């Protein structure tokens, strides 16, 4: 039994999901003729109370398309220093859009209105025009921390007043919403565009959806083509995504429970210096390198068939997911509780 805690992207489609994929009604999506893709796009647009949506191969693509549509070359966007769009998208902000990122030091990866306000550039010839704010929910690099609506709404209000666009990298938005019990419709009201991933905690093999108003999605579709993301009979994948949205959202709380148990277990271990707060399905902790280094820890667990991800020097990330069973969880806790 291999236990893979490197990411919630390692899941494989269950037989019911595969059956839903087999039943897809596909067509050439570049001509807009794939019924299953159209169904997914309508479903997700309605879910967030928006006019339109666009199915894309990855969350990197949905984020990068949004940045491209919302900005002009030479502009600046504001995001937290932990943001996925900055750290893990291959420099795409500058590569694709000719835009620079101003990195803000938020709290557990989260921005607030005053931090944003004091970083919006004034209208001078020599300053870079600020045109976009990007939030991430949950914040991957900050240990899966959550924005509540009462934190997002004042940011949305500020962006509206200052005529800035507001994009949400919601790769793990549903992990946040099952905890806050807030509605997708309320989230939809706050943002100009939202990206959700179907292949993270939700368990679909491929795909992300970008959601916004008609004009935004019209432009986004052109950019998707330029980025090489125009797909043909991809309805098989869209059906997997629909299945994931309909069946795998509410169960995310089980992943969170397991992650919190791992966090609690690590809390009082001599080989651990610090565990970040566990809010959802991500556990990030710093080892005490005098006792065990990141490399040694990784090797020790690998010997027990447990895969984990190094997240910087002597820092480890473990992510719980759909395919991480109770039995696996018991084994992991036993090993973490042993003297290693
Ligand atoms: C995974 C992830 C993405 C998208 O990544 P892809 O691997 O391109 O699908 C975007 N944002 C966050 C926060 C993520 O964790």
């Amino acid at each position: 039994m291999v236990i893979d805690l490197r990411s919630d992207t390692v899941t494989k489609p269950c037989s019911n999901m595969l059956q839903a994929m087999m039943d897809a009604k596909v067509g050439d999506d570049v001509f807009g003729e794939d019924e299953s893709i159209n169904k997914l796009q309508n479903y997700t647009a309605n879910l967030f109370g928006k006019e339109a949506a666009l199915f894309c191969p990855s969350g990197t693509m949905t984020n990068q398309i949004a940045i491209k549509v919302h900005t002009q070359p030479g502009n600046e966007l504001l995001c937290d220093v932990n943001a996925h769009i900055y750290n893990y998208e291959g420099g795409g902000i500058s590569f694709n859009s000719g835009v620079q990122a101003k990195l803000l030091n938020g709290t557990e990866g989260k921005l607030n209105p005053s931090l944003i306000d004091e970083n919006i550039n004034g209208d001078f010839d020599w300053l870079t025009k600020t045109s976009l704010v990007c939030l991430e929910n949950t914040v991957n690099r900050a240990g899966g921390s959550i924005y509540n609506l009462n934190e997002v709404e004042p940011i949305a209000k500020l962006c509206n007043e200052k005529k800035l666009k507001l994009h949400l990298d919601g790769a793990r938005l549903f992990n946040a919403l099952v905890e806050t019990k807030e509605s997708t419709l309320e989230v939809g009201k706050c943002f100009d565009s939202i990206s959700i991933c179907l292949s993270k905690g939700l368990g679909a093999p491929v795909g992300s959806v970008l959601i916004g108003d008609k004009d935004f999605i019209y432009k986004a579709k052109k950019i998707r083509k330029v980025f090489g993301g125009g797909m043909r009979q991809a309805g098989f994948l869209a059906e997997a995504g629909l299945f994931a949205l309909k069946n795998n959202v509410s169960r995310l709380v089980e992943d969170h429970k397991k992650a919190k148990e791992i966090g609690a277990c690590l809390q009082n271990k001599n080989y651990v210096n610090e565990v970040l707060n566990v809010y959802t399905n991500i556990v990030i902790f710093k080892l005490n390198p005098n006792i065990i280094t990141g490399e040694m820890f990784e090797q020790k667990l690998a010997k027990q068939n447990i895969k984990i991800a190094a997240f910087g020097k002597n820092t480890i990330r473990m992510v719980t997911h759909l395919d991480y069973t109770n039995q696996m969880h018991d084994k992991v806790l036993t090993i973490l509780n042993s003297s290693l």
Side-chain angles (χ1 to χ4, degrees):
M1 173 170 78
V2 175
I3 303 176
D4 198 340
L5 289 167
R6 286 172 303 169
S7 176
D8 45 7
T9 54
V10 299
T11 57
K12 302 201 174 132
C14 64
S15 56
N16 288 340
M17 182 181 280
L18 287 169
Q19 189 56 52
M21 295 169 76
M22 295 289 282
D23 295 339
K25 297 212 167 39
V26 298
D28 191 331
D29 184 52
V30 170
F31 296 131
E33 290 171 1
D34 189 295
E35 278 184 44
S36 291
I37 291 181
N38 292 339
K39 197 164 63 168
L40 171 67
Q41 291 177 165
N42 287 333
Y43 181 85
T44 45
N46 288 335
L47 194 60
F48 288 90
K50 292 284 197 201
E51 290 172 348
L54 188 68
F55 183 48
C56 292
S58 74
T60 298
M61 189 180 281
T62 44
N63 282 333
Q64 292 298 321
I65 290 173
I67 293 165
K68 184 79 185 157
V69 174
H70 288 315
T71 61
Q72 293 297 321
N75 288 178
E76 184 163 272
L77 65 76
L78 305 180
C79 64
D80 184 83
V81 64
N82 289 293
H84 191 281
I85 55 163
Y86 176 78
N87 290 286
Y88 301 125
E89 299 188 6
I93 297 170
S94 57
F95 189 94
N96 296 316
S97 298
V99 165
Q100 63 192 32
K102 190 186 271 182
L103 303 178
L104 309 184
N105 285 305
T107 310
E108 295 186 297
K110 298 189 292 174
L111 306 183
N112 60 67
S114 57
L115 185 60
I116 293 169
D117 200 17
E118 66 204 28
N119 281 288
I120 299 170
N121 285 335
D123 184 15
F124 297 101
D125 289 352
W126 55 91
L127 289 182
T128 312
K129 184 181 163 63
T130 313
S131 50
L132 174 64
V133 176
C134 296
L135 307 184
E136 186 174 313
N137 196 15
T138 66
V139 188
N140 184 353
R141 246 178 92 88
S145 52
I146 296 174
Y147 275 99
N148 282 286
L149 270 171
N150 61 16
E151 296 168 296
V152 174
E153 280 162 354
I155 295 176
K157 188 165 169 275
L158 174 72
C159 290
N160 195 32
E161 280 163 18
K162 302 283 178 176
K163 304 215 169 358
L164 304 181
K165 298 293 180 188
L166 184 60
H167 171 71
L168 174 64
D169 176 355
R172 293 189 182 80
L173 178 61
F174 294 100
N175 292 87
L177 295 182
V178 296
E179 290 294 326
T180 62
K181 308 208 163 48
E182 291 165 345
S183 84
T184 45
L185 288 176
E186 293 299 319
V187 175
K189 283 183 197 157
C190 295
F191 293 94
D192 296 292
S193 55
I194 298 168
S195 158
I196 58 165
C197 283
L198 305 167
S199 66
K200 291 278 165 75
L202 300 186
V206 178
S208 286
V209 185
L210 185 60
I211 300 146
D213 67 21
K214 264 194 193 137
D215 180 57
F216 171 81
I217 294 296
Y218 172 80
K219 291 173 184 155
K221 192 154 173 268
K222 288 180 184 277
I223 303 294
R224 183 184 67 174
K225 189 69 181 159
V226 178
F227 284 179
M231 296 181 286
R232 307 288 180 187
Q233 287 74 13
F236 298 111
L237 299 172
E239 286 294 345
L242 269 168
F243 181 92
L245 285 166
K246 288 176 183 170
N247 296 281
N248 292 344
V249 172
S250 59
R251 62 150 307 285
L252 289 170
V253 291
E254 294 169 33
D255 301 342
H256 299 179
K257 181 165 174 280
K258 290 194 183 92
K260 283 169 193 170
E261 284 166 4
I262 293 174
C265 164
L266 291 166
Q267 201 72 57
N268 46 21
K269 293 288 174 287
N270 64 345
Y271 59 87
V272 175
N273 271 350
E274 187 196 350
V275 187
L276 300 195
N277 290 327
V278 181
Y279 294 101
T280 50
N281 67 330
I282 299 175
V283 186
I284 295 177
F285 58 99
K286 296 192 172 78
L287 293 163
N288 177 348
N290 297 326
I291 297 183
I292 193 164
T293 64
E295 215 169 305
M296 283 157 62
F297 186 80
E298 218 178 321
Q299 281 165 8
K300 287 230 162 154
L301 291 195
K303 283 211 186 92
Q304 310 268 7
N305 278 329
I306 301 171
K307 296 183 182 181
I308 45 136
F311 218 55
K313 202 163 184 254
N314 301 322
T315 302
I316 305 291
R317 188 185 79 161
M318 292 181 174
V319 188
T320 58
H321 53 76
L322 190 55
D323 290 356
Y324 176 63
T325 63
N326 291 337
Q327 194 197 354
M328 293 175 180
H329 187 50
D330 289 342
K331 180 174 167 185
V332 167
L333 291 180
T334 305
I335 289 165
L336 295 177
N337 273 324
S338 73
S339 56
L340 288 173

